[in-house]
């Protein structure tokens, strides 16, 4: 056995591994946002972080986990939702996310907060854990038809990472073959889970006296098939019968089309611009 050849081979393998690790870091592959788990919302983007995934897609979160770099001030409107607001699933630049675009279209300071796979329960839990936000004039909830079910829980380090990998290569290899549980994207509602979000919505509407605007964003397949699956929310809002609650339906935008989606759930940059152009003037006038 040629031990010298084996030693040279192992040395070359280690050197290649180190070069690969350096490449991942230089390329910005692991520069993604982190989450905090076991928060009242089950999980939330970690506060006070910023980065640039692949050196192209910049992102930032302030001290309240809002998707902006600037520190929070109690002026303007809150925009809350899930990954449509966070923008991490479709890898959008900060300027192409709905929060900054809606701020530009409305002329109102917008504080966007959202996390991948949040539902209405998670969003209301975030609001309840930040009562100082109730001083804002308006809270805008951006919802799709899958948001009205059981509260979403933290999944794993691939879906909601809480730390950056110490060694990138095995993490990225495992991530390539990772398949999320499809039930996490489509949790099935039940009478028990419906009662939970009904009660949470009732408590929120009792506590917050400002304007509440629900923006109803259909998923791509609903646009293609001319479907409307928002009846669970609309029925509950009708029962609440609150004068300070209004609804904006993106389906009413005659310019809205399936081409505005990057996948079945998430608008692309052009979709976000159209969404902001449609919603912006309307939140000024409500």
């Amino acid at each position: 056995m040629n031990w010298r050849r084996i030693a040279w081979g192992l040395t070359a393998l280690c050197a290649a591994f180190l070069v690969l690790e350096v490449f991942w870091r230089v390329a910005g592959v692991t520069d993604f946002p982190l989450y905090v788990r076991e928060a009242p919302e089950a999980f939330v983007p970690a506060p006070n972080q910023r980065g640039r995934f692949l050196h192209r897609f910049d992102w930032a979160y302030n001290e309240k986990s809002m998707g902006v770099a600037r520190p929070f001030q109690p002026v303007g409107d809150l925009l809350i939702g899930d990954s449509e607001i966070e923008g991490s699933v479709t890898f959008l630049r900060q300027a192409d996310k709905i929060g900054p675009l809606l701020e530009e279209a409305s002329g109102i300071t917008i504080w966007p907060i959202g996390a991948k796979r949040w539902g209405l329960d998670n969003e209301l839990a975030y609001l309840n854990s930040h009562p100082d936000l109730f001083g804002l004039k308006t809270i805008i909830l951006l919802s799709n038809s899958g948001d009205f079910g059981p509260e979403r829980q933290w999944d794993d380090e691939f879906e909601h990472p809480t730390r950056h990998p110490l060694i990138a290569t095995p993490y990225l290899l495992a991530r390539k073959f990772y398949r999320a549980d499809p039930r996490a994207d489509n949790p099935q509602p039940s009478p028990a889970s419906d009662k939970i979000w009904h009660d949470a919505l009732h408590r929120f509407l009792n506590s917050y006296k400002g304007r509440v605007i629900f923006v109803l964003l259909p998923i791509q397949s609903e646009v293609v098939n001319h479907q409307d699956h928002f009846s669970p929310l609309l029925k509950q809002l009708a029962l609440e019968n609150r004068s300070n609650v209004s609804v904006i339906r993106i389906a009413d935008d005659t310019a809205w089309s399936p081409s505005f989606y990057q996948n079945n759930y998430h608008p692309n940059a052009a979709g976000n611009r159209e969404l902001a152009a449609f919603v912006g003037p309307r939140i000024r006038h409500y």
Side-chain angles (χ1 to χ4, degrees):
M1 183 175 291
N2 191 328
W3 293 106
R4 178 174 294 182
R5 183 171 295 178
I6 292 174
W8 275 109
L10 290 174
T11 300
L13 187 63
C14 291
F17 184 82
L18 289 175
V19 169
L20 193 58
E21 283 293 306
V22 171
F23 171 78
W24 297 135
R25 309 294 176 174
V26 172
V29 174
T30 59
D31 196 5
F32 46 73
L34 301 179
Y35 294 81
V36 175
R37 59 180 300 194
E38 297 179 356
E41 313 82 6
F43 55 93
V44 66
N48 298 314
Q49 56 170 333
R50 64 171 63 193
R52 187 179 293 271
F53 182 68
L54 298 180
H55 298 300
R56 293 177 55 201
F57 307 107
D58 55 320
W59 50 268
Y61 296 91
N62 68 8
E63 79 281 5
K64 289 188 178 295
S65 300
M66 297 171 172
V68 290
R70 63 178 182 260
F72 175 72
Q73 295 179 340
V75 176
D77 294 351
L78 181 75
L79 174 67
I80 187 167
D82 57 11
S83 48
E84 286 93 347
I85 291 176
E86 186 187 21
S88 65
V89 174
T90 47
F91 303 116
L92 296 172
R93 297 183 305 116
Q94 189 78 0
D96 291 328
K97 296 178 183 179
I98 184 58
L101 290 171
L102 185 58
E103 181 168 296
E104 181 181 351
S106 66
I108 300 169
T109 301
I110 299 293
W111 302 100
I113 171 68
K116 178 169 53 175
R117 290 189 173 173
W118 264 7
L120 182 61
D121 272 354
N122 305 87
E123 295 157 17
L124 295 175
Y126 175 87
L127 293 172
N128 288 333
S129 65
H130 294 82
D132 54 322
L133 299 180
F134 284 21
L136 294 174
K137 178 183 176 183
T138 305
I139 293 179
I140 305 162
L141 295 102
L142 178 62
S143 301
N144 65 49
S145 56
D147 287 345
F148 314 110
E151 182 181 62
R152 316 294 175 85
Q153 299 299 316
W154 182 87
D155 293 311
D156 51 51
E157 286 293 331
F158 292 127
E159 288 296 327
H160 301 105
T162 60
R163 60 187 182 275
H164 291 116
L166 183 62
I167 304 175
T169 302
Y171 171 85
L172 294 172
L173 186 63
R175 183 70 183 88
K176 178 176 177 59
F177 293 101
Y178 168 79
R179 294 295 179 269
D181 184 349
R183 294 171 298 179
D185 273 333
N186 297 287
Q188 295 303 306
S190 67
S193 66
D194 286 347
K195 185 177 187 307
I196 291 173
W197 75 259
H198 292 171
D199 291 346
L201 178 61
H202 182 74
R203 290 193 299 270
F204 164 65
L205 294 177
N206 277 344
S207 301
Y208 180 65
K209 303 307 179 184
R211 298 187 309 169
V212 177
I213 302 175
F214 280 90
V215 176
L216 306 186
L217 174 65
I219 62 176
Q220 186 183 51
S221 59
E222 293 169 350
V223 177
V224 170
N225 297 314
H226 305 286
Q227 296 172 328
D228 186 332
H229 293 157
F230 287 103
S231 57
L233 174 66
L234 296 174
K235 179 180 178 181
Q236 195 61 28
L237 292 179
L239 291 173
E240 291 287 346
N241 192 26
R242 309 283 180 140
S243 61
N244 64 325
V245 177
S246 54
V247 172
I248 298 174
R249 305 172 72 113
I250 301 304
D252 291 338
D253 180 3
T254 57
W256 193 257
S257 79
S259 66
F260 285 138
Y261 292 84
Q262 186 156 330
N263 54 38
N264 194 39
Y265 292 93
H266 303 98
N268 52 29
N272 278 342
R273 285 192 291 272
E274 176 60 30
L275 195 158
F278 185 74
V279 173
R282 288 162 174 79
I283 66 174
R284 284 202 306 264
H285 297 149
Y286 272 105

